[in-house]
């Protein structure tokens, strides 16, 4: 599922890069290496930053428990404004809808950029559990 979202995140990065939005992909596991990240970026044409989180610093900071799981945070990284699913493309782990009809992350970004209250602050994500041991 995470791999299928690379193009979605590329599009979001491109659409909002001039508005101060930065996508960072985090690999929350022990076995990711710098070389495997290079391969991932090349194979899936990721156009956003990616980094390892083998010590689970970011995973614990944001209390992430599923991958893919998105966190829209303020520039200070102190407040999570939105978390959870990127959109409703999946209705359970590995099961994709025919058509995406809700774009939770984009809606939250738009609301922040318009200085509006974020109407949906959390949508429970579907995916693989992050294993820390």
């Amino acid at each position: 599922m995470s791999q299928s979202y690379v193009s979605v995140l590329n599009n979001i990065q491109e659409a909002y890069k001039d508005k101060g939005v930065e996508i960072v992909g985090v690999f929350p596991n022990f076995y990711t290496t710098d070389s495997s990240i290079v391969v991932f970026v090349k194979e899936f044409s990721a156009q956003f930053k990616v980094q390892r989180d083998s010590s689970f610093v970011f995973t614990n900071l944001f209390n992430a428990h599923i991958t893919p799981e998105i966190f829209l945070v303020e520039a200070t990284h102190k407040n999570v404004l939105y978390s959870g699913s990127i959109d409703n493309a999946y209705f359970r782990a590995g099961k994709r809808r025919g058509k995406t009809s809700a774009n939770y992350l984009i809606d939250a970004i738009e609301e922040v950029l318009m200085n509006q209250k974020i109407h949906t602050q959390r949508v429970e994500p579907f995916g693989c559990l992050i294993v820390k041991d």
Side-chain angles (χ1 to χ4, degrees), residues 4 7 11 23 29 32 34 37 40 48 69 79 81 122:
S4 73
S7 63
N11 291 338
I23 304 287
N29 56 58
T32 297
D34 290 340
I37 288 176
F40 176 90
F48 49 87
E69 184 171 13
N79 294 313
L81 305 173
R122 173 91 179 144

Side-chain angles (χ1 to χ4, degrees), residues 107-124:
D107 291 348
I109 290 170
E110 286 290 331
E111 289 168 340
V112 167
L113 293 175
M114 293 186 292
N115 293 315
Q116 296 178 348
K117 179 180 183 273
I118 296 177
H119 290 91
T120 303
Q121 296 177 349
R122 173 91 179 144
V123 174
E124 197 61 35

Side-chain angles (χ1 to χ4, degrees), residues 71-133:
F71 296 88
L72 177 62
V73 298
E74 291 179 322
T76 62
H77 299 114
K78 292 183 180 178
N79 294 313
V80 175
L81 305 173
Y82 170 79
S83 66
S85 292
I86 296 167
D87 56 28
N88 74 341
Y90 290 87
F91 60 92
R92 72 173 180 236
K95 299 295 180 182
R96 194 172 182 91
R97 295 181 194 283
K99 182 177 179 180
T100 302
S101 60
N103 294 292
Y104 310 121
L105 176 58
I106 290 173
D107 291 348
I109 290 170
E110 286 290 331
E111 289 168 340
V112 167
L113 293 175
M114 293 186 292
N115 293 315
Q116 296 178 348
K117 179 180 183 273
I118 296 177
H119 290 91
T120 303
Q121 296 177 349
R122 173 91 179 144
V123 174
E124 197 61 35
F126 299 108
C128 299
L129 287 174
I130 296 171
V131 178
K132 296 181 185 178
D133 51 1

Side-chain angles (χ1 to χ4, degrees), residues 53 56-64 77 80:
D53 190 21
F56 303 105
V57 173
F58 293 104
T59 304
N60 292 333
L61 178 65
F62 296 117
N63 196 27
H77 299 114
V80 175

Side-chain angles (χ1 to χ4, degrees), residues 34-51:
D34 290 340
S35 60
S36 67
I37 288 176
V38 169
V39 169
F40 176 90
V41 167
K42 184 175 181 180
E43 183 175 345
F44 295 100
S45 301
Q47 298 168 7
F48 49 87
K49 291 182 182 178
V50 294
Q51 64 185 60

